[in-house]
């Protein structure tokens, strides 16, 4: 989303600018604009004319039409941003509450299943990436952007720069994960501190 998008209403442009100032991701911006656009379609008028009852009825409308809890919460977040920040009318959305998200327990693999999964990757590079992701809980983007200098083998830690939400974090490594990771990174010819591992 850029400030030069054609045929954008001043109100939408203001919302986009508000999100850009806060450095929201492109996906978040698209989701929030979609939430306000859908509300406006439901309302059949400009969203800045909405009342508390309109927002309540819209939330009920979404629930009645079987929207998932995640999508409902995304819509609520977009509307809250629009009314709180862009319009400075937080009083209108004060009673909008996100819904409870059911949490499912993850499937826990046995050691043998994990070993078979990693072995199925085929080559050392992919096996190491899988072992690292599984052993530390890293996301794909976090694994592929790791550098040799991110490894601290003395402290058994791994520095993750700009992970989810552009946050930095430190992950603890188990000895067997570190061994495979070091094998991949440090045995590369001419490996330097800034060299990517994967």
């Amino acid at each position: 989303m850029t400030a030069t998008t054609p045929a954008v209403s001043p109100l939408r442009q203001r919302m986009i600018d508000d999100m850009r100032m806060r450095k929201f991701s492109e996906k978040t911006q698209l989701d929030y604009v979609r939430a306000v656009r859908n509300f406006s379609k439901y309302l059949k008028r400009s969203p800045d004319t909405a009342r508390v009852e309109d927002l309540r009825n819209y939330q009920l409308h979404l629930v009645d039409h079987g929207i998932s809890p995640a999508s409902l919460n995304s819509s609520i977040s977009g509307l809250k941003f629009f009314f709180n920040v862009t319009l400075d009318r937080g009083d209108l959305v004060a009673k909008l509450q996100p819904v409870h998200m059911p949490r499912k327990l993850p499937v826990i693999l046995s050691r043998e299943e994990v070993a078979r999964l990693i072995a199925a990757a085929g080559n050392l590079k992919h096996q190491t990436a899988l072992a690292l992701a599984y052993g530390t809980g890293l996301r794909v983007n976090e694994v592929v952007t790791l550098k040799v200098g991110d490894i601290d083998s003395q402290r058994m830690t791994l520095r993750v720069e700009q992970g989810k939400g552009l946050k930095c974090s430190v992950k603890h490594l188990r000895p067997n994960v570190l061994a495979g990771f070091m094998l991949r990174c440090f045995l590369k010819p001419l490996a330097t501190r800034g060299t990517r591992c994967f």
Side-chain angles (χ1 to χ4, degrees):
M1 299 209 153
T2 61
T4 60
T5 306
V8 174
S9 72
L11 190 57
R12 181 180 292 184
Q13 187 59 54
R14 181 175 174 88
M15 181 181 179
I16 291 168
D17 292 343
D18 287 340
M19 291 186 289
R20 286 179 46 235
M21 285 188 326
R22 288 160 180 80
K23 294 193 168 274
F24 282 15
S25 73
E26 191 80 18
K27 183 184 181 319
T28 300
Q29 290 184 45
L30 291 171
D31 288 346
Y32 281 16
V33 167
R34 182 183 311 113
V36 175
R37 184 178 62 238
N38 290 342
F39 175 63
S40 186
K41 284 180 187 175
Y42 167 82
L43 204 55
K44 296 185 174 81
R45 63 180 195 267
S46 178
D48 61 341
T49 64
R51 301 179 316 261
V52 172
E53 197 61 26
D54 295 324
L55 287 155
R56 183 180 188 283
N57 289 337
Y58 180 62
Q59 186 171 1
L60 286 170
H61 166 78
L62 293 176
V63 169
D64 291 343
H65 282 80
I67 192 170
S68 72
S71 295
L72 181 58
N73 287 343
S74 178
S75 292
I76 289 171
S77 294
L79 292 170
K80 280 189 166 195
F81 179 84
F82 176 72
F83 285 99
N84 278 325
V85 177
T86 303
L87 295 180
D88 196 22
R89 292 290 316 274
D91 57 305
L92 294 175
V93 289
K95 292 190 178 185
L96 277 184
Q97 293 298 318
V99 296
H100 174 72
M101 295 275 293
R103 298 188 102 181
K104 297 179 183 174
L105 289 175
V107 175
I108 306 294
L109 301 176
S110 69
R111 286 181 184 259
E112 294 78 26
E113 290 171 322
V114 171
R116 281 199 318 266
L117 176 70
I118 292 169
N123 65 41
L124 180 61
K125 176 181 176 179
H126 297 148
Q127 288 172 351
T128 305
L130 269 175
L132 189 63
Y134 190 82
T136 60
L138 292 177
R139 293 169 173 82
V140 172
N141 190 51
E142 294 169 340
V143 172
V144 298
T145 57
L146 285 174
K147 296 181 184 80
V148 174
D150 294 333
I151 306 164
D152 186 341
S153 57
Q154 297 297 321
R155 294 186 184 137
M156 298 291 288
T157 59
L158 186 68
R159 180 176 168 79
V160 178
E161 297 208 14
Q162 297 196 345
K164 184 175 180 182
L166 300 179
K167 294 179 183 168
C168 295
S169 63
V170 175
K171 302 285 185 178
H172 295 283
L173 292 169
R174 294 183 11 210
N176 57 345
V177 173
L178 179 64
F181 190 54
M182 289 176 66
L183 180 66
R184 170 73 190 122
C185 293
F186 290 116
L187 295 182
K188 277 170 66 168
L190 306 174
T192 60
R193 202 163 167 76
T195 301
R196 288 223 170 138
C197 297
F198 298 103

